[in-house]
Amino acid sequence: MAAAFPFVRCSTTTGLSEALKHAVRWQLIPRNVAEAVEAPRPPRPEMGVLDEGGVQRLLKAAEGDDLFVLIFMALNTGMRRGELLALR
């Protein structure tokens, strides 16, 4: 199951550490042993890249749509979503 849902391991480790932190604060245990463990990092999803045909299909599908200019800018400048949405 950990292989299918790697984010579960990360959130479980964080939750356990927080619970132990409260137990130390409430003087139920002497120390938080989870602090000695390096928490696993969630895996980064692999970035997909469009080939020239994919770009053409996307532009054709977006033609006439309100988002066409935004999509065109993203494809031609490489700007990230936040940068595109910050444009006026």
Side-chain angles (χ1 to χ4, degrees):
M1 183 156 135
F5 302 102
F7 63 90
V8 172
R9 245 188 15 213
C10 299
S11 63
T12 302
T13 305
T14 302
L16 179 62
S17 180
E18 284 297 313
L20 291 173
K21 190 187 306 183
H22 287 293
V24 169
R25 190 176 310 138
W26 297 334
Q27 298 179 348
L28 298 173
I29 58 175
R31 72 184 200 93
N32 182 353
V33 294
E35 290 176 348
V37 176
E38 189 172 318
R41 295 188 181 269
R44 298 185 87 166
E46 191 172 322
M47 185 185 310
V49 179
L50 293 175
D51 60 3
E52 188 175 339
V55 169
Q56 293 304 320
R57 285 191 303 275
L58 178 59
L59 288 174
K60 186 160 181 68
E63 214 170 274
D65 193 284
D66 292 340
L67 296 176
F68 178 79
V69 174
L70 198 64
I71 293 169
F72 184 83
M73 287 285 294
L75 291 170
N76 286 294
T77 65
M79 294 172 79
R80 295 174 293 225
R81 184 183 332 159
E83 295 168 327
L84 290 163
L85 296 175
L87 294 174
R88 295 179 187 227

